[in-house]
Amino acid sequence: MTDPALEVRGLRASHPGAVVLHDVDLTVAPGSLTAVLGPSGCGKTTLLRVVAGFHGPDDGSVRLGGRPVAGSGVTTVPPEQRRIGLVPQDGALFEHLTVAGNVGFGLRSLDRAARRERVAAMLDLVGLAELAARRPRELSGGQQQRVALARALAPQPRLVLLDEPFSALDASLRQELREEVRRVLRAAGAAAVLVTHDRSEALGLADRLVVLRTGRVVADDDPRTVYRDPPDADVALLVGEGVLLAALRRGDHADTDLGRLAVRGPGEGGGHVVVRPEELVLVDDPAAVRLPVREVLFAGATSTVVLGLPDGGSVRLTTGGPAPDPGAVVGVAVTAPVRWLPAPEPSRAEPVPAGG
């Protein structure tokens, strides 16, 4: 049986004055990409720094390819000996080196011919072979991040860590580069961990999605499952658009402001349902729940229709057909069973310092 590329167990880490990570477990399979999603201050960066060897754990263990590198009773392996590639937010390229020089920086142990061959292979992989002689200042933001990825992959690391690598790019370039990064990682057969606060990155890139909240793992599954069946309301609204409606459940249905809805998930009595925009449609049915149109947001091939709810809130749906006019009253139906969430039990979260 092949060892995981990364295995974290019971990880606890702190900054002065506060614990940042609480009993975190994380497993990354060889050749897979795991996204760690959460808001600022949830512990994402600290987790990445512990794995990379820049921050020591208080408790728990970190193993890379089955080899212990940090934790209780373990001689800590320094960062440069962990065979980890890092792609930071801004690329962090060396301005005095060419593109080829940057990619080959971590290959000093190879002879000149082998280093040249490896650099050429990496630049070809990221589609930048013709830019080998350029300096970083002569590259676009997307090209710089491709060079940073090539540099991280060049030494054939056990694991690549991506620290919000698309955050400084504009929206169209982010989407293009996400697809390119996924292709390159797949082609290289590299395991990777992406930390991000951008749910579209996490859902669109990852084989597995881990959600961190106040330093704890609150969801860990494939992205489709986390999106479709989130464990609680906070995760539901973190991973996708939707509205949380108070509901009273009896059997497989619940009464809500959108009518009596079929629900999925265990539970009974009072709670909430999560309704996603794609689960709502406009219907021409006098028996349907009718809601006023507050606003219509045109987006070319589709329009987002914002509907008012009786409690003063709103719900959105996306339509590819003719959109109603603001002020109209329309019929609305839910197309499939929606996620049921029982009322949460009171809990007390421990504080997490900003920047975690």
Side-chain angles (χ1 to χ4, degrees), residues 58-85:
D58 300 330
D59 200 2
S61 64
V62 179
R63 301 172 73 91
L64 291 169
R67 176 194 181 196
V69 296
S72 304
V74 174
T75 300
T76 299
V77 176
E80 65 274 14
Q81 295 179 20
R82 295 193 181 191
R83 288 186 57 197
I84 285 178

Side-chain angles (χ1 to χ4, degrees), residues 81-107:
Q81 295 179 20
R82 295 193 181 191
R83 288 186 57 197
I84 285 178
L86 178 63
V87 182
Q89 290 184 22
D90 59 359
L93 301 180
F94 301 113
E95 291 292 336
H96 66 290
L97 296 178
T98 63
V99 166
N102 270 276
V103 175
F105 184 80
L107 303 176

Side-chain angles (χ1 to χ4, degrees), residues 64-155:
L64 291 169
R67 176 194 181 196
V69 296
S72 304
V74 174
T75 300
T76 299
V77 176
E80 65 274 14
Q81 295 179 20
R82 295 193 181 191
R83 288 186 57 197
I84 285 178
L86 178 63
V87 182
Q89 290 184 22
D90 59 359
L93 301 180
F94 301 113
E95 291 292 336
H96 66 290
L97 296 178
T98 63
V99 166
N102 270 276
V103 175
F105 184 80
L107 303 176
R108 303 282 176 90
S109 61
L110 300 181
D111 62 45
R112 184 172 298 181
R115 184 163 64 246
R116 187 183 302 116
E117 182 179 349
R118 183 66 179 163
V119 168
M122 288 298 96
L123 288 178
D124 186 58
L125 184 64
V126 299
L128 296 177
E130 73 281 3
L131 303 182
R134 291 196 184 180
R135 303 282 177 173
R137 63 179 176 274
E138 300 175 278
L139 305 178
S140 68
Q143 289 169 337
Q144 289 184 27
Q145 286 301 82
R146 285 184 173 92
V147 175
L149 180 60
R151 182 179 62 186
L153 289 170

Side-chain angles (χ1 to χ4, degrees), residues 304-355:
T304 298
V305 182
V306 183
L307 304 169
L309 292 171
D311 66 358
S314 64
V315 63
R316 295 177 176 227
L317 64 82
T318 301
T319 179
D325 295 325
V329 177
V330 296
V332 182
V334 178
T335 60
V338 294
R339 174 64 169 169
W340 165 261
L341 296 171
E345 296 191 7
S347 62
R348 179 179 178 275
E350 296 182 46
V352 176

